Amino acid sequence: MSEEYYLTEEQKIQMEIEKEEKRKKKKNNKLWKILTIVFIIVMVLFLGYYFWSRNFGVTVRKPVLYLYPEKTTEIRVTLDFNGALTTTYPKYLTGWKVLAEPDGTLTDESGKTYNYLYWEGESTVKYDMTEGFCVNGEDTAQFLEKALAELGLTRREANEFIVYWLPLMEKNNYNVISFQTKTYEENAKLYIDPKPDTVIRIFMTWYGSKKFVEVSPQTLSAQERNGFVVVEWGGSEVCPR
């Protein structure tokens, strides 16, 4: 006969209780192991994404391209972007082909009209933020109005720029802002036929900061707008380096 035969009812109940507790403990241990593994996987993915975005990934946001020929002209625009295009409007296949008016109105081959050509993309380009400006968040609109005028944007172009970026910037304590030229143009090359007389490309990189950041001031200037004028503006929010 087994040992249980000689146990009292009370002892048998106690044994069942202990067995049930062991089963629960084993089950809980298994659950905790699963949760721990899931937590580790999530953290690895999160940290991987964080360091990737911090060191590599940059979203090139809303470059818009205005075309102002001296007379109604058929224009072809192609973009050689060092990255992956994520959004374009009108749709970019092998390029854009539009009929442009002197006031900037663009008409595609289907007859639809546009104010500008639009694109966005993901890139691994790193931008130098050691030169630029550190601006109080509440002064950002005033700063951009002055800076964009110096960089050659018209009031309408500057208004569209500010309306897009200001909601992301004005509530920060400070914004560290740098206008990129050479690095941006090397990684987002434009080919326009016929060739424009004036090209103004403005690309702003920036990040929000709780503290004032010392940066070497940039000198801003723009060429005169003569003949067939092309204007582009865009930007990226980058991580502090």
Side-chain angles (χ1 to χ4, degrees):
M1 291 187 172
S2 66
E3 281 185 37
E4 292 188 16
Y5 181 81
Y6 299 102
L7 297 177
T8 64
E9 285 300 318
E10 186 176 333
Q11 289 174 321
K12 289 179 181 179
I13 293 172
Q14 184 61 36
M15 280 187 66
E16 288 300 320
I17 292 173
E18 290 176 356
K19 286 180 181 179
E20 183 62 26
E21 288 179 347
K22 286 181 180 179
R23 282 195 294 268
K24 286 182 179 179
K25 187 175 181 180
K26 187 176 180 180
K27 186 177 179 180
N28 288 338
N29 286 341
K30 186 177 180 180
L31 179 61
W32 275 111
K33 285 180 181 179
I34 293 171
L35 291 175
T36 301
I37 291 170
V38 171
F39 176 76
I40 291 171
I41 292 171
V42 170
M43 287 303 298
V44 168
L45 291 174
F46 172 78
L47 291 173
Y49 174 78
Y50 173 79
F51 286 109
W52 178 85
S53 63
R54 182 180 178 86
N55 295 301
F56 299 102
V58 174
T59 301
V60 178
R61 299 184 66 170
K62 204 183 179 180
V64 295
L65 193 63
Y66 305 87
L67 307 174
Y68 304 106
E70 293 184 283
K71 60 182 181 180
T72 302
T73 306
E74 187 174 88
I75 300 172
R76 182 170 181 81
V77 179
T78 54
L79 173 67
D80 182 6
F81 177 53
N82 182 14
L85 294 177
T86 54
T87 307
T88 60
Y89 187 74
K91 191 70 174 178
Y92 183 96
L93 298 173
T94 59
W96 287 295
K97 185 178 179 182
V98 293
L99 190 68
E101 304 291 342
D103 67 356
T105 302
L106 309 177
T107 306
D108 67 12
E109 293 177 291
S110 69
K112 293 179 181 177
T113 59
Y114 308 86
N115 293 329
Y116 45 68
L117 305 174
Y118 161 80
W119 66 275
E120 283 194 354
E122 295 287 340
S123 174
T124 57
V125 176
K126 293 183 180 180
Y127 293 100
D128 183 1
M129 297 294 291
T130 57
E131 289 189 0
F133 309 90
C134 186
V135 182
N136 192 296
E138 62 186 16
D139 296 332
T140 301
Q142 183 180 354
F143 166 80
L144 289 176
E145 287 175 353
K146 182 175 183 296
L148 295 174
E150 292 176 358
L151 289 167
L153 293 194
T154 64
R155 178 62 192 151
R156 180 174 72 90
E157 294 160 356
N159 178 74
E160 291 175 350
F161 183 108
I162 294 169
V163 165
Y164 181 79
W165 287 109
L166 188 61
L168 303 175
M169 304 173 73
E170 65 179 345
K171 293 181 182 178
N172 295 330
N173 289 351
Y174 294 94
N175 292 301
V176 180
I177 299 169
S178 179
F179 292 99
Q180 308 289 331
T181 302
K182 184 178 179 181
T183 302
Y184 173 68
E185 291 179 356
E186 286 176 349
N187 288 279
K189 297 176 182 177
L190 280 178
Y191 300 94
I192 302 173
D193 183 28
K195 186 177 180 180
D197 301 295
T198 305
V199 179
I200 298 173
R201 304 185 74 189
I202 298 172
F203 189 76
M204 177 183 72
T205 51
W206 68 278
Y207 63 87
S209 175
K210 292 184 178 180
K211 299 178 181 179
F212 182 83
V213 178
E214 291 285 351
V215 291
S216 299
Q218 280 184 304
T219 300
L220 305 181
S221 62
Q223 57 182 309
E224 286 189 33
R225 298 169 68 131
N226 295 313
F228 171 21
V229 177
V230 171
V231 176
E232 181 192 51
W233 64 255
S236 285
E237 182 180 2
V238 299
C239 290
R241 301 191 185 279

